[in-house]
Amino acid sequence: MIDIKISSKIKKACPDIRLGIIDAKIEYQKENRKLWNEIDRTVKQIKTSIRQEQITELPVIKRTREAYLALGKEPARYRCSAEALLRRTVQGKDLYRINNVVDIINYISLLFHFSIGCYDYNKLTGPMEFGIGLEEENYQAIGRGEMNIANLPVFRDSHGPFGSPTSDSERTMITDKTNRILIIIIDFKKYELLSEAIEKTISCLKEYADAKEVFSSIIE
């Protein structure tokens, strides 16, 4: 597993931060129908249990927004992926069907409200650090084009920044060539649900992506 550290700067601004890490070999599929049956059931439950105005007060979402403010980034403009996904769901918009791996991550995010990064392991070069984006720094974000990552929580490897809770970069995205993945669940408040989210993610990877050689840990 690649060595991952949390920088002292982001730790100072967000002292309760920790990361749930999963490393696994997987089988890529364009779509898994059984998985989407589960996602559809979850979407229906969310639509009947969460209102739009409640989303920012959900504990995990609220703490993520507070972390963005502590770093100097406006959370309403650079929404974390979990909040954006919940808003799309509550508004009744269809979820994007990407591939079995990314769809699993979105499913877990809907269940637990954590923002989750998912990367092609073979496109990463360690060591890695979770820190803060620099002024005038950017990258090509998936589905967003060039994104300003200054003051965002940012993952870096030896080649530079590649991911954040708002949107990950195209450089390390999952493709049909991906056979090993690195998943990072971002927890800004040491919630007990992190361990449960890791276990559920691993279960889904095994069921819907034929995951093998799965390793997990929590970094603080």
Side-chain angles (χ1 to χ4, degrees), residues 2-3 121 124-128 156-159:
I2 293 177
D3 181 36
Y121 189 100
L124 298 167
T125 305
M128 285 172 43
R156 301 174 185 279
D157 66 359
S158 62
H159 293 295

Side-chain angles (χ1 to χ4, degrees), residues 58-97:
L58 295 170
V60 177
I61 300 296
K62 183 177 181 179
R63 187 63 188 97
T64 303
R65 290 172 65 90
E66 290 171 353
Y68 272 45
L69 287 172
L71 297 176
K73 205 71 170 181
E74 175 51 55
R77 185 177 179 187
Y78 292 87
R79 287 196 178 106
C80 69
S81 58
E83 180 182 345
L85 189 64
L86 280 168
R87 285 181 178 276
R88 185 174 185 85
T89 301
V90 171
Q91 290 169 1
K93 298 177 181 178
D94 291 337
L95 299 186
Y96 297 112
R97 299 190 179 210

Side-chain angles (χ1 to χ4, degrees), residues 161-215:
F162 64 85
S164 80
T166 292
S167 182
D168 291 322
S169 75
E170 293 182 352
R171 173 166 71 90
T172 54
M173 67 187 291
I174 305 300
T175 71
D176 58 359
K177 302 295 191 298
T178 301
N179 57 26
R180 185 177 179 183
I181 59 172
L182 179 70
I183 292 172
I184 307 179
I185 303 175
I186 306 163
D187 175 12
F188 286 102
K189 192 60 178 177
K190 294 186 177 178
Y191 287 104
E192 292 181 3
L193 283 174
L194 179 60
S195 294
E196 185 179 342
I198 291 172
E199 291 175 5
K200 181 65 173 178
T201 304
I202 292 172
S203 175
C204 287
L205 287 171
K206 290 180 177 179
E207 184 170 1
Y208 306 123
D210 196 26
K212 301 286 193 302
E213 299 180 34
V214 182
F215 303 95

